[in-house]
Amino acid sequence: MTGRYSANTGLPFAMYPGSVAGLPPDMPTLPQLMRKAGYSAHMVGKWHLGHSQPKQGPIGRGFESHTGSYMWDLESYTKLMWDRPWTKPYGADWIKAHENGSYLHYPETRHSTIALTEEAVTVMEDHKKKTDNPLFMYLSYNAAHSPLQPEASWLEYCSSIPHLWRYQYCGMVVGLDWGIKRVADAAKEILGENTIIVVSSDNGGSV
């Protein structure tokens, strides 16, 4: 988001719920720079770069809209956020927010990979209808981070893996493969051939 290593942003750690940390306000972000260049900028997915104030979230840091989560370990279906499996959840983490200040926390019951994929397609469709500006869209999946909760159909491709966690992790990655292909195909159809897609991993999750 900044082009810097995390240690050079003042955020060399994973922020827990309630943390007041966030990106330094004077540090430019990619959506801010893209909008200066004439692009529209929208985000779908996981943020995890500051959440205690709206100005620290995706909208405050340059995006016109954001659908997804602010934080980390989310159950794929309930969107409940946990610290440890044997404690109570912190709560649900799912939001649709816009630059005009409107926002809605709502119970998204689809698997997060499916929900984020379809929302990304919707963002592209809405953008095409509303403006001729080029689009910068940042799609950040929760998968394949724990908890490992793949759709049953995704596990059909992983039957040769005997270890349970690796089997489940494989299913999560199969879901990502489906989602990325769906978004790439939709981008070509909706936005046209002059589209650049960059796929990158973050620093991990369960392996």
Side-chain angles (χ1 to χ4, degrees):
M1 197 56 58
T2 65
R4 295 170 168 84
Y5 289 113
S6 60
N8 295 330
T9 66
L11 299 174
F13 52 89
M15 285 171 284
Y16 274 59
S19 170
V20 298
L23 290 174
D26 59 346
M27 185 174 288
T29 64
L30 185 54
Q32 290 171 333
L33 297 174
M34 295 296 282
R35 292 182 70 179
K36 284 184 179 180
Y39 283 72
S40 297
H42 298 272
M43 179 181 167
V44 179
K46 173 183 174 182
W47 176 244
H48 211 183
L49 291 172
H51 60 273
S52 67
Q53 302 178 67
K55 66 182 181 181
Q56 293 178 317
I59 301 302
R61 298 316 308 264
F63 288 105
E64 297 167 58
S65 72
H66 169 229
T67 299
S69 61
Y70 286 117
M71 291 292 293
W72 52 354
D73 278 356
L74 296 185
E75 287 195 1
S76 295
Y77 298 98
T78 66
K79 312 306 182 290
L80 290 175
M81 181 172 53
W82 298 79
D83 180 12
R84 298 174 181 85
W86 55 86
T87 61
K88 292 183 179 180
Y90 287 112
D93 181 13
W94 203 260
I95 190 171
K96 184 184 291 287
H98 297 86
E99 195 173 39
N100 64 10
S102 64
Y103 65 90
L104 175 67
H105 293 279
Y106 65 101
E108 172 58 75
T109 57
R110 293 175 295 177
H111 192 286
S112 59
T113 297
I114 296 173
L116 295 176
T117 298
E118 297 306 328
E119 180 64 24
V121 174
T122 299
V123 167
M124 290 187 284
E125 291 173 339
D126 290 347
H127 172 82
K128 185 70 173 179
K129 294 174 184 176
K130 294 177 181 178
T131 179
D132 293 326
N133 292 346
L135 170 66
F136 168 64
M137 182 176 68
Y138 174 57
L139 169 59
S140 176
Y141 285 106
N142 299 93
H145 203 294
S146 59
L148 302 177
Q149 298 173 313
E151 290 269 283
S153 61
W154 300 340
L155 288 170
E156 295 174 5
Y157 297 89
C158 307
S159 59
S160 63
I161 302 175
H163 189 281
L164 176 61
W165 290 356
R166 292 185 181 276
Y167 171 67
Q168 294 170 328
Y169 185 82
C170 171
M172 297 292 279
V173 175
V174 168
L176 282 178
D177 287 345
W178 165 83
I180 292 170
K181 183 181 186 303
R182 167 91 169 104
V183 171
D185 289 346
K188 184 176 180 180
E189 179 182 347
I190 299 167
L191 304 177
E193 295 286 348
N194 189 22
T195 301
I196 298 173
I197 298 175
V198 178
V199 180
S200 176
S201 173
D202 71 357
N203 65 336
S206 297
V207 177

